[in-house]
């Protein structure tokens, strides 16, 4: 298992390189009875596509998702769902120049050291393009979660330390110099019932953190008030429980919806910090495979900021985790098992 | 699987409640040939023990680790290592008062909602005492890593936002008011070779993040420069590769030793943010199981700050992750497999 | 993971050697709300104990099971259940004579080759005594299955090729010569609902086969008519479906309750073939660790036949598989998930 | 996880239905550095193809395997290998007649009960066609095993209880009556080093048994002398160890190459018993989805005997298990880990 699999019950196995034939994912464990057609993927896939605008690469791909298996007459059958996204718009020649060079802040060096071979074209398996398969898988998990009243709100909140709505100037300035900028993404998940997550290693926040940090370029994650709580007193940070409309809820939500690894029913709040796009056209020092120090400046089509296209990836990973944990949670009580089989 | 297991090859399964008979862990996958006796656990366990001082609870337990299986004549045999830590110093009566109350910022409410029953004594399975089993397991993984030249340096860097060395006053003030404070812990891992970690979901940083956030009270994690990079330019954040003594290394280490999920050979830098201890004696509003709003103030023995005793737990989780990933890494190349069986 | 773990949702991790401090198991994933006390293990453990009679070793151990965690006030809490069985009646000196000898038909040689070290006392981890932990775990899974109307009937059907009821003479003759005999065990499971098991690799029969062959000394397994079907025509072997009392059932049960890996609702029939006890006092040729050919005759306390004490182990493995598969089955349909969270 | 995944380190995830767009498999965990091109699959895939002769269906498909990812310039890169086999020769109309009927000895009834929906065309996911993806995956594992001197010899030994070479008459007779026959397949694996397999649940024989029984229509498995040993004495069944050419080997091989779950270095012997093809044109009683008893006779293209095309599937499953266990085995000793990282 080389780490391209994710999830326990709703289990996905992704594959594909930036400049290979395509990318895809096999979902094993999707419940039967979900209406699913290829149109269900369009809007979700659109959100990670380059929009050709100031904030993204000019690479354009339709990223149409083809369903190869797992549905019959438009409904899932409980068998593996294989999804295929063909690569169509590749400029491989962009990369031959750097075939033997370890790009700074990229996986090149570690990958070469680990495997001894690599597909250098566009970063190969380590390309951000890999996330297309995650988003396709999450289009399915999110459709299921929506059917249970769980919703996501995900947005870029800052670029280069500047609030998103005011950030255009810094982006222009950075891009014009051939540089890039870091960014922040916030994701709120509403409607997750209390009681989801396991007490020790599979805490809901632990599962979310593992998922979010599996997105390239993520360097930090806050859950709820995040790093700010380290400067707080318990009397400030503790959320009192109150009764509202006969329901027990935390009056405030410093905890971001999770206590002791288990959801409280309050909104789950994730704040994610992305590093600047590593590929910049400014000259940089580095080393090549021959062990010689060289200078490179990386041209080709790159996002000046990662956040805008990564927002849907953050949401996708949260969706995959939450559905999987909700499925795992169904066997927490003996009475649930007994009722299920009494039917 | 209710989430008390961790690791793929070096796999641990922990158990135990704060006020039950004891805690323990079964390690399945420890290589044969490691000298291991009960004394090997002492210094590691000491680090998470209350020291009776200003920064920790007055609860005192020797936390002696008994080896029940997996060694013969002082050496591991490759079979499961079962470790037992008896609970000896319990004041269960401290807790009967809050048996039916959901303590703010604790797992009580979520746990009760999930399982319908719970051992309320000292937080039961959700007590920080659970981490004793993790530390015992990590005493083994760390002994293995030390034998390969990998070392850990872990320290509390701040309490309540004040640098650790200057924090005594704020701790005194907080404790005297019956309040608690948040804290920060920094862990540096040296000697991890380049090439450890897998490119997609099992990135080394993703595995570390999942492990660190599985520690109760962790609310944020920075890897390398962490959340600061979101305000940086690529030209500032990118670490140039250089050749030093014939070895390729990053000249700077903003990345904290990991790029694209794979180690670079540079030190791995983890910065962890803990919330304040949730148990405070100041009066708090909350709700009881009958759904009535009540006020509580929590007495008994609690740390005024979590960081000092949690530092070794951070180090332990990092140790478990790194050893497991290094073991997984041995099959990355066909040539390794062929050489192994050529012997 | 060195293979002492079993199950996906109802996950067990066993440990212990024949002549170490004891044996045990950690059950992670047992639902909350099951009444469980130490007396629940007695009758199940009794079934694998030597009865001192003609068919078993003279070694006598109470095999009392101590519950170390996972219950509160006599009910499971959903946290890991740690079970401990102390070793009390050991004659280690029986084994020093063969410390350096590879006993024929035993794991000694393979184990030594794999790990380089081994606890030779009584076979260490490879002793049949290891199964005590499986039986303890299955006492829990079986209690859950009983609560859902699922029952087991397990019996020795033949010894040395002679029907069990007529086998006493052959056993006497064999034992008197210091030899041992093979045996057959049949297990029938009633009440498993139709629809359990997954279509491809996790077929119910595949999971049962993996479980049954994990019992030392098992050399063959028939499901339903087993090896006899290879001589049959489809027209003889196919079970027609009929309607009885408004329920669809197979009219005959050549298939042994499983078709295409999924249960049909008919009784599940397993027929297991055990080799003769490998430890015999007749002289045998073998090799020692120094690579010298030697002759040994194995004394000490050994069963002349394996089946009688292994029957409950067969039942235990079937129980662990069936409960786990029933728990997995709860997420097969989207409607089940939606109903569960509608509550 | 709905059971279409197999293996721990060399992990495969298969997908596809008999009459969907195609079938495929994603291999996650294949080591980097293996030369692999599409021609490598041809001979292996040919072995499970209908040969148009007396012993197989008339359905003809090239079963060309397309490599979608995981290789670069003809060599594996350590990233997931996605393999695609398009369905090209389908006669779906053959099946509309039985869309609502539960075919005897097929998965139809259990599948419908479990999922509530199913792709009835050709058995959908439960079709023997599913095994094409397993064979494609095993073409890769077998290429690796061959590079380490491990070889497979697999053959049909009997049909309808008659030795294969004499069976043509019984096949003719059975086929002419629209009936089918059971069969036996024997697989010998040579060159597996001693020491492979884990002592308890992941015994090599347990893993092989789980794999073999996951092949539809398998009803029994013998390892070594299999069910015959239940009638033997220990003195007959025990294989003495001897020294030959300085190597310790068992003088005989009743055990079929595995003792206590660990390989001895002797050839591994598997004998597999298949039921007759369930689809026969003779009239059969059964029930339809409306719960009415009906009579059907199944026409269309079906093998009169399963063994001839299933032989390569038996070999494939053995190959996947053995490679995976050999990869797991590399971390059994601390010294191996230390040597690996000393490099």
């Amino acid at each position: 298992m080389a780490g391209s699999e994710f999830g326990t019950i709703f289990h996905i196995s992704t594959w594909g390189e930036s400049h290979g034939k395509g990318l895809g994912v096999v979902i094993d464990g999707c419940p039967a009875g979900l209406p699913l057609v290829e149109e269900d993927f369009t809007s979700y896939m659109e959100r990670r596509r380059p929009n050709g605008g100031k904030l993204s690469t000019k690479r354009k791909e339709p990223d149409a998702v083809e369903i190869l298996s797992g549905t019959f007459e438009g409904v899932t059958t409980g068998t593996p769902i294989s999804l295929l996204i063909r690569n169509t718009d590749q400029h491989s020649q962009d990369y031959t120049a750097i075939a033997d060079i370890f790009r700074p802040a990229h996986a090149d060096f570690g990958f070469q050291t680990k495997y001894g071979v690599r597909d250098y074209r566009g970063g190969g398996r380590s390309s951000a393009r890999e996330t297309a398969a995650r988003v396709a898988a999450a289009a399915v998990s999110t459709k299921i979660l929506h059917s249970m009243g769980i919703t996501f709100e995900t947005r870029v909140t800052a670029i280069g330390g500047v609030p998103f709505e005011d950030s255009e100037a810094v982006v222009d300035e950075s891009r014009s110099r051939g540089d890039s900028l870091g960014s922040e993404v916030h994701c709120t998940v509403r409607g997750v019932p209390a009681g989801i997550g396991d007490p020790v290693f599979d805490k809901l926040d632990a599962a979310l953190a593992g998922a979010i940090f599996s997105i390239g370029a993520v360097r930090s994650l806050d859950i709820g008030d995040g790093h700010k709580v380290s400067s707080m007193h318990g009397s400030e940070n503790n959320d009192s429980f109150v009764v509202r409309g006969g329901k027990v809820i935390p009056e405030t939500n410093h905890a971001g919806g999770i206590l002791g690894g288990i959801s409280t029913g309050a909104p789950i709040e994730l704040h994610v910090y992305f590093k600047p796009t590593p590929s910049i056209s400014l000259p940089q020092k580095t080393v090549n495979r021959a062990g010689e120090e060289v200078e490179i400046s990386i041209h080709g089509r790159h996002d000046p900021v990662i956040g805008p296209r990564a927002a849907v990836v953050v949401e996708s990973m949260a969706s995959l985790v939450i559905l999987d944990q909700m499925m795992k949670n169904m066997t927490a009580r003996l009475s649930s098992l007994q009722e299920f089989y009494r039917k």
Side-chain angles (χ1 to χ4, degrees), chain A:
Chain A
M1 197 169 61
S4 285
E5 296 166 58
F6 189 80
T8 299
I9 297 183
F10 192 89
H11 184 94
I12 69 171
S13 184
T14 69
W15 57 270
E17 287 84 25
S18 175
H19 288 58
K21 290 184 176 179
L23 301 102
V25 58
V26 178
I27 304 172
D28 190 25
C30 183
L34 176 73
L36 188 71
V37 294
E38 291 173 354
E39 291 61 41
D40 287 316
F41 297 91
T42 314
S43 62
Y44 223 61
M45 297 304 291
E46 277 297 319
R47 290 172 55 190
R48 72 164 293 287
R49 275 193 55 199
N51 59 21
K54 280 213 172 54
L55 300 179
S56 74
T57 157
K58 291 192 178 48
R59 177 170 178 169
K60 286 224 184 49
E61 305 209 359
D63 280 348
V65 175
E66 183 182 4
I67 300 174
L68 295 178
S69 69
T71 64
F72 183 58
E73 298 173 346
V75 175
T76 60
T77 60
T79 64
I81 300 169
S82 180
L83 303 174
L84 172 62
I85 303 162
R86 292 270 178 196
N87 285 334
T88 55
D89 173 37
Q90 306 154 351
H91 294 200
S92 300
Q93 67 282 13
D94 290 348
Y95 298 96
T96 51
I98 56 164
D100 293 329
I101 294 177
F102 302 131
R103 293 167 298 166
H106 274 285
D108 302 353
F109 172 65
F111 202 105
Q112 184 74 40
T113 305
K114 181 185 187 75
Y115 295 109
V117 295
R118 74 191 162 92
D119 178 350
Y120 54 79
R121 301 167 304 162
R125 182 66 180 153
S126 298
S127 166
R129 179 144 179 77
E130 162 266 316
T131 60
R134 308 186 188 206
V135 174
V140 181
S141 58
T142 300
K143 187 170 187 185
I144 293 173
L145 291 172
H146 282 169
S147 79
M148 296 188 287
I150 294 160
T151 59
F152 297 82
E153 182 185 344
T154 312
R155 56 215 176 282
V156 180
T157 55
I159 293 179
V162 178
F164 180 66
E165 48 280 11
D166 313 328
S167 63
E168 187 157 325
V170 294
V171 174
D172 285 342
E173 183 277 338
S174 170
R175 163 169 246 161
S176 64
R177 289 191 303 96
D179 210 342
S180 62
L181 282 169
S183 51
E184 301 175 40
V185 168
H186 194 91
C187 178
T188 303
V189 191
R190 295 185 175 84
V192 176
I196 306 303
D198 288 314
V200 183
F201 299 114
D202 292 356
K203 287 181 165 74
L204 182 54
D205 34 3
L208 287 164
I212 298 300
F213 273 92
S214 79
I215 304 168
V218 169
R219 309 310 291 162
S220 183
L221 167 68
D222 287 338
I223 292 188
D225 286 357
H227 62 280
K228 294 179 197 63
V229 302
S230 65
S231 313
M232 291 166 84
H233 284 98
S235 54
E236 303 168 274
N237 178 64
N238 290 2
D239 301 304
S240 291
F241 286 104
V242 294
V243 179
R244 296 286 178 266
K247 235 166 132 287
V248 177
I249 60 162
E251 188 170 31
T252 51
N253 191 20
H254 297 292
I258 306 172
L259 284 175
I262 303 176
S263 61
T264 63
I268 293 170
E269 304 287 354
L270 307 172
H271 198 82
V272 186
Y273 300 84
F274 287 89
K275 73 181 186 182
T277 311
S279 294
I280 57 176
S281 51
L282 288 170
Q284 303 180 82
K285 286 193 313 180
T286 189
V287 173
N288 65 20
R289 283 180 58 186
E292 304 155 332
E293 298 192 345
V294 295
E295 183 177 280
I296 52 163
S297 70
I298 301 168
H299 299 294
R301 304 161 301 171
H302 305 290
D303 297 333
V305 183
I306 288 169
R309 292 180 62 200
V312 68
V313 183
V314 167
E315 181 174 311
S316 294
M317 295 312 298
S319 170
L320 291 166
V321 165
I322 289 165
L323 176 58
D324 195 38
Q325 293 262 4
M326 287 177 73
M327 291 172 89
K328 280 175 67 178
N329 184 61
M330 289 175 68
T331 56
R333 295 185 185 204
L334 180 60
S335 55
S336 311
L337 192 60
Q338 291 169 328
E339 276 169 42
F340 183 89
Y341 286 106
R342 192 167 297 126
K343 291 172 201 156

